[in-house]
Amino acid sequence: MADSVVCRDKRGRFSKNIQETSEPECAESIEIDHNYGVGHLCIAGATGCAVCCPGIEKLLGSSKINTSTSWHSGRRLVEWGTLLDHLKFCTRCFNGPLILSHQTIKGEMKCGLGGYLYVQCTSCQELNRIPYGSTHKENPSSKGMPSFCVNTKLGAAMIDALGGPQRVNNVLSTLNLPPISHKNLKVMERRAGEMIEGFANLSMDQRCREAFEAEKSNAAEDENGTENMPDTNTDSHTDMTDTNSNTRNESVPAVNFSGMTVCADHGWQKRGFDSLTGHTFLMSKREYGNKVIKTIVKHRTCGTCKWWKRNRPGRKPKPHRCVWNHRGSARLMESQAGMQAVKELLEQGTPVKTIEGDGDNTLIARLKSELNLTVTKKFDKNHTIKNIVSRLYDLQKNNKNLKISSLVIRHLTKSIKYVFAKNQGQPDDMKTNLEALIPHQFGDHNLCQPRFCGYKRQPGVKYLHRSLPYKAPLSDPVLREKLQNLFEPVISKAASYADLGSSQACEHANRAASLRAPKHLHYGESESLDF
């Protein structure tokens, strides 16, 4: 044992008995200068392969993601706050911020005016999906990708200003923004339109109830005579908690109030009576808000139903919002839409008693015969004057031999407006002035009243017709006979003209609708016109 040598074995343990070999082992430590076999040389191009860019196969295999170098062409609408918030760190290794460059962006998925960038992390090579716009979900618990807010705003812009898909893509192409398919644009329009339509219905119901209660309260004050009545029995020693004073100040409901007053008017999206669509506005009076309280839109066709009938004959159309709700002529739309609006107001507890509109009495007759409702009609002042003036121009057009010029027609128009304006609420004076209107123009003042005739006020002074030609009265007896015959039906309705209404608020609403749905464009085959 004394001759034994203590040393270590190959594992580093001490050992006494180690067999000596003729050639001792030596560990060779070779350092490789150029290790070409260990490295990876990617030949896939800018996008990379599965080794240097894990997950790139999904991007290359998707038809919605653009991985070519053309993704950086054109313009994009980018919200910097949203983009920078998602570039703070990688979703896998949490290192950050992510580098946004041509080398790290591996693809783009466009979603209308919004979209996603697929940015590679330089630390773990993970692909991060970065939205460059804010998103929202109608139902947060539902599955699927969220919607971009800018796309919903674009749908609202289509309804308010831009119009249909073709007009939207014209704007986008002018701005060098990526175009959007018509199908996707209709989805955006429906998403925004349903929200706008729901809010509009709630607003109309609220304004209708407010106008109804305001008119009801006003009618009660008029009946009871309690509006602004001064208390002449005030005593300095009167107790402020007197029960009699509290009872006196309570409002008493109106006994004779059975409904509200509305102005109504119907408009078509095409001139004439062959329009495929039409709408009716019911609005409250100016003193009660002057707001739209009911809207009815009529359609004579549906684009989806027509497509299925043309391309899939005999098969039931897929479930959709069918807008086809009218069968008949375009002229019939006015009375049907008005009757439907009055019926819906009656069902929600705000009945209509008086309608102010044009001279068409078909609606009043249908309400009485079909719904057993007695509604009072007030003629619109502007429609009434326009109808009379149009007859004067027809008289001038059809009778070339009559000496009636445009100057005479303008003078008669001014006189008619003056008579209607000064005799409201006075049916007897209205009839008297209308009877004296034509004789006055021919120098016959027997029926005139001093209130309106300068000849009766100053008999000794020569009277001049300042607005007639040569400031002299008319003298053609044939013209006088024609004008007398023309004004006979007007004189017979003098009592109706003594209480005229106004539907100019509805005309203004029709103007606003025509700006968004012009008469030369057809939006009536879908819900676009409703929105």
Side-chain angles (χ1 to χ4, degrees):
M1 298 298 293
D3 298 335
S4 62
V5 181
V6 179
C7 60
R8 295 177 182 271
D9 58 6
K10 294 181 178 181
R11 296 184 179 182
R13 295 175 297 182
F14 290 100
S15 176
K16 295 181 180 180
N17 300 324
I18 298 180
Q19 296 179 357
E20 296 181 2
T21 59
S22 58
E23 295 181 1
E25 296 180 0
C26 62
E28 296 182 1
S29 178
I30 300 176
E31 183 177 353
I32 301 176
D33 190 11
H34 300 284
N35 189 2
Y36 294 102
V38 177
H40 171 68
L41 180 61
C42 182
I43 59 175
T47 57
C49 61
V51 177
C52 59
C53 186
I56 194 63
E57 294 89 350
K58 294 183 179 179
L59 270 65
L60 296 173
S62 176
S63 60
K64 298 181 179 180
I65 301 175
N66 181 19
T67 56
S68 63
T69 56
S70 62
W71 60 264
H72 52 75
S73 62
R75 292 185 174 88
R76 304 291 187 273
L77 297 181
V78 179
E79 300 180 26
W80 290 110
T82 303
L83 181 65
L84 296 177
D85 288 342
H86 287 82
L87 289 174
K88 285 182 178 180
F89 52 84
C90 175
T91 57
R92 181 180 178 184
C93 65
F94 298 100
N95 290 331
L98 298 175
I99 299 176
L100 196 65
S101 65
H102 285 276
Q103 290 74 26
T104 57
I105 299 178
K106 299 300 180 181
E108 180 195 24
M109 181 170 62
K110 292 186 295 183
C111 302
L113 293 181
Y116 296 92
L117 293 176
Y118 288 86
V119 182
Q120 186 181 20
C121 177
T122 55
S123 299
C124 65
Q125 314 304 320
E126 176 72 13
L127 287 176
N128 295 266
R129 189 173 66 188
I130 308 298
Y132 49 79
S134 56
T135 59
H136 72 94
K137 265 192 173 184
E138 297 180 13
N139 186 7
S141 61
S142 62
K143 296 181 180 180
M145 298 182 66
S147 304
F148 280 90
C149 296
V150 66
N151 292 336
T152 306
K153 295 290 186 181
L154 179 61
M158 290 176 63
I159 299 170
D160 185 64
L162 295 179
Q166 186 65 43
R167 297 165 69 91
V168 174
N169 280 324
N170 290 342
V171 175
L172 297 181
S173 61
T174 306
L175 298 175
N176 198 17
L177 288 169
I180 307 172
S181 67
H182 289 192
K183 184 177 180 180
N184 289 339
L185 285 174
K186 292 298 292 184
V187 172
M188 300 173 191
E189 184 188 29
R190 290 188 181 99
R191 184 169 63 241
E194 290 175 356
M195 292 186 286
I196 293 174
E197 192 176 35
F199 178 80
N201 290 331
L202 292 176
S203 177
M204 285 190 296
D205 292 343
Q206 181 180 359
R207 300 307 176 191
C208 179
R209 298 184 185 280
E210 291 177 356
F212 182 81
E213 295 298 331
E215 187 170 356
K216 184 178 180 180
S217 176
N218 193 12
E221 292 176 353
D222 292 341
E223 287 184 6
N224 300 319
T226 58
E227 184 179 8
N228 298 327
M229 289 184 61
D231 189 3
T232 57
N233 296 325
T234 305
D235 188 2
S236 59
H237 301 285
T238 304
D239 189 3
M240 297 302 295
T241 60
D242 187 7
T243 58
N244 294 329
S245 61
N246 293 336
T247 305
R248 184 178 62 249
N249 292 330
E250 290 180 356
S251 60
V252 180
V255 178
N256 298 325
F257 183 77
S258 59
M260 61 189 303
T261 301
V262 298
C263 59
D265 191 35
H266 187 84
W268 291 269
Q269 272 63 53
K270 185 180 178 182
R271 302 184 189 277
F273 290 110
D274 59 345
S275 178
L276 296 176
T277 55
H279 63 274
T280 290
F281 284 123
L282 262 65
M283 300 186 65
S284 59
K285 294 295 295 176
R286 181 181 299 274
E287 56 268 24
Y288 305 120
N290 201 22
K291 301 293 184 180
V292 178
I293 59 177
K294 182 60 67 174
T295 302
I296 301 295
V297 184
K298 289 292 185 180
H299 303 257
R300 297 172 64 189
T301 182
C302 175
T304 304
C305 294
K306 286 174 59 177
W307 187 93
W308 278 83
K309 185 177 181 180
R310 182 175 62 251
N311 298 282
R312 302 290 189 272
R315 294 181 58 181
K316 185 178 180 181
K318 67 176 183 179
H320 66 286
R321 175 174 170 173
C322 185
V323 296
W324 189 6
N325 58 1
H326 180 75
R327 287 165 175 80
S329 65
R331 189 182 184 90
L332 190 62
M333 287 181 182
E334 183 173 8
S335 60
Q336 283 193 355
M339 186 173 61
Q340 180 182 347
V342 173
K343 183 179 179 181
E344 291 180 1
L345 291 178
L346 178 63
E347 292 175 351
Q348 72 180 25
T350 53
V352 175
K353 181 62 177 177
T354 305
I355 296 179
E356 298 180 359
D358 54 14
D360 188 8
N361 292 322
T362 309
L363 174 60
I364 306 300
R366 295 193 64 177
L367 288 173
K368 187 173 183 179
S369 61
E370 299 184 19
L371 298 181
N372 196 20
L373 294 177
T374 303
V375 179
T376 306
K377 179 67 177 289
K378 284 187 178 181
F379 295 115
D380 175 59
K381 179 181 178 181
N382 290 333
H383 277 88
T384 303
I385 296 174
K386 189 183 298 183
N387 292 336
I388 299 175
V389 174
S390 64
R391 296 175 195 168
L392 292 174
Y393 279 104
D394 291 340
L395 183 65
Q396 180 192 36
K397 181 179 179 182
N398 299 328
N399 298 271
K400 300 297 183 180
N401 298 327
L402 287 180
K403 297 179 180 180
I404 176 172
S405 62
S406 299
L407 181 62
V408 174
I409 294 178
R410 288 197 295 268
H411 170 69
L412 292 176
T413 302
K414 183 179 67 174
S415 302
I416 294 168
K417 291 181 179 179
Y418 189 76
V419 170
F420 282 169
K422 295 299 181 179
N423 291 285
Q424 290 299 303
Q426 303 172 5
D428 295 336
D429 292 343
M430 175 70 73
K431 185 176 181 180
T432 302
N433 287 161
L434 288 176
E435 290 175 347
L437 179 62
I438 299 303
H440 175 82
Q441 313 304 326
F442 289 86
D444 184 3
H445 304 286
N446 294 326
L447 300 177
C448 295
Q449 294 180 351
R451 179 185 175 190
F452 301 104
C453 181
Y455 179 85
K456 284 294 186 72
R457 289 195 300 269
Q458 298 177 348
V461 180
K462 183 179 179 181
Y463 182 74
L464 298 177
H465 297 266
R466 290 177 295 178
S467 299
L468 287 177
Y470 309 107
K471 297 184 179 181
L474 303 176
S475 59
D476 189 359
V478 179
L479 177 59
R480 180 172 180 176
E481 182 181 359
K482 293 287 186 180
L483 292 176
Q484 287 286 160
N485 295 335
L486 188 145
F487 271 83
E488 281 183 2
V490 179
I491 296 172
S492 63
K493 297 180 180 179
S496 301
Y497 296 149
D499 189 12
L500 293 175
S502 176
S503 61
Q504 289 305 298
C506 295
E507 296 292 346
H508 179 73
N510 288 335
R511 171 63 176 169
S514 64
L515 292 177
R516 287 147 181 83
K519 294 183 180 294
H520 68 281
L521 298 176
H522 181 52
Y523 296 112
E525 291 192 349
S526 66
E527 60 269 37
S528 300
L529 183 61
D530 294 21
F531 297 152

